[in-house]
Amino acid sequence: MANCIADTVFESIRRDIFTGRYEVGTRLPSERELAERFDASRNTVRDALSRLDHMKLVKRIPQSGTYVTDYRKEAALSLLIYYIDNSLDLNDEVLNSFMDFRLVCERFAVRRAVHHMGPDDIRYLHTLLDEKLENASDGHILANCDYNFHEYIFQLADSLAMQLIFNTLKPVFINYLTYYYNLGDDPKGIIDYQRSLVAAFEKKDEELAGYMMEKLLLFGINLIKEARLTDTRHGKKLGE
């Protein structure tokens, strides 16, 4: 029971920080005040504050209090994992930041993957694209094949840190890839870009591979942004 209350306290304060109710540098109410507000014990409140501190959302200063940090500068991967695991609303700002990550990291990944790509790897990528064509009306299958295509490239890039971050973001990528493929557009357009990327791999052309990855990602990103703009005007959220 105490853990459930601690979760409630944690999430309420986290939300207040993200929405700006508690601005950067703000001193949070005391443990006693928070305990009264949430009808909880001070130990429960202390546990919630410790979790916020662990995620670098607040800083606890002995004999002074708990202060809101600038999470954009201070927060670590643990906050991102919490954000994803709890399916928090992916607003357009957050979604765009994930897309920016893909543009930067995948251009780098393909340039490294080129030098590790063998005939078996080329065949595997073509198999994934063939599977996409065979399931052109199933958004879920298309999204998973697409994720596997890009995840495999990260494997071949042989960068552990980048691979682990990409793995962490899987639920986000699957979410908006499914959204993309449920737009009703012919998926062949993006498959053509992916075939061209594979052709660049076959040629061992690092520059061409980087260029084709950028074109591939921008093609999909622009379609998603256009669709999101339309949905926002109608009050729809990602995944609805």
Side-chain angles (χ1 to χ4, degrees):
M1 182 65 177
N3 286 339
C4 293
I5 298 174
D7 289 343
T8 299
V9 176
F10 168 84
E11 180 55 28
S12 178
I13 297 175
R14 184 209 64 80
R15 191 182 304 113
D16 286 344
I17 292 172
F18 272 48
T19 58
R21 178 181 177 184
Y22 294 133
E23 297 180 350
V24 175
T26 300
R27 181 181 181 277
L28 293 183
S30 68
E31 290 182 2
R32 179 183 58 79
E33 291 171 316
L34 290 171
E36 291 176 356
R37 172 184 167 186
F38 292 101
D39 191 22
S41 70
R42 291 184 66 172
N43 283 338
T44 297
V45 169
R46 196 170 295 124
D47 177 58
L49 292 177
S50 293
R51 291 169 59 190
L52 290 164
D53 188 14
H54 175 68
M55 292 186 183
K56 307 299 184 184
L57 293 175
V58 302
K59 183 176 182 179
R60 307 178 75 183
I61 301 176
Q63 309 304 318
S64 179
T66 303
Y67 296 85
V68 177
T69 63
D70 185 345
Y71 68 87
R72 292 178 179 273
K73 296 180 180 178
E74 304 288 340
L77 192 58
S78 56
L79 176 61
L80 179 61
I81 294 171
Y82 176 83
Y83 205 103
I84 294 169
D85 287 346
N86 290 274
S87 301
L88 302 183
D89 180 33
L90 285 178
N91 58 42
D92 287 340
E93 179 185 2
V94 176
L95 184 60
N96 287 339
S97 71
F98 285 129
M99 292 176 175
D100 289 341
F101 168 83
R102 291 198 66 180
L103 274 171
V104 173
C105 291
E106 295 206 48
R107 282 182 296 192
F108 170 79
V110 294
R111 290 172 178 271
R112 292 192 56 161
V114 162
H115 305 292
H116 301 109
M117 188 79 64
D120 289 342
D121 303 312
I122 297 294
R123 280 192 289 271
Y124 175 70
L125 294 178
H126 278 302
T127 298
L128 288 174
L129 299 181
D130 291 340
E131 185 177 353
K132 288 179 70 175
L133 282 176
E134 293 168 3
N135 296 276
S137 61
D138 191 320
H140 181 70
I141 292 178
L142 290 169
N144 277 280
C145 286
D146 210 314
Y147 176 84
N148 291 337
F149 181 92
H150 291 271
E151 192 271 339
Y152 194 72
I153 292 171
F154 270 92
Q155 286 186 35
L156 293 176
D158 196 25
S159 174
L160 179 60
M162 194 174 290
Q163 175 77 59
L164 293 178
I165 294 173
F166 189 80
N167 293 347
T168 300
L169 297 175
K170 180 177 181 178
V172 178
F173 292 148
I174 292 294
N175 191 11
Y176 79 69
L177 285 169
T178 302
Y179 173 82
Y180 167 80
Y181 284 115
N182 284 334
L183 291 175
D185 295 323
D186 181 357
K188 188 177 183 302
I190 204 161
I191 292 175
D192 286 343
Y193 277 109
Q194 289 172 319
R195 295 279 191 203
S196 297
L197 174 58
V198 176
F201 283 137
E202 290 182 280
K203 296 176 182 177
K204 299 289 185 181
D205 191 328
E206 180 181 317
E207 291 298 322
L208 181 59
Y211 172 73
M212 290 311 306
M213 176 59 84
E214 183 173 358
K215 288 195 67 174
L216 162 63
L217 292 175
L218 287 175
F219 176 78
I221 286 170
N222 288 334
L223 283 179
I224 291 173
K225 286 184 176 180
E226 290 173 9
R228 287 290 299 134
L229 183 61
T230 300
D231 284 351
T232 300
R233 288 171 178 163
H234 292 87
K236 294 177 64 178
K237 295 181 178 180
L238 186 68
E240 292 184 338

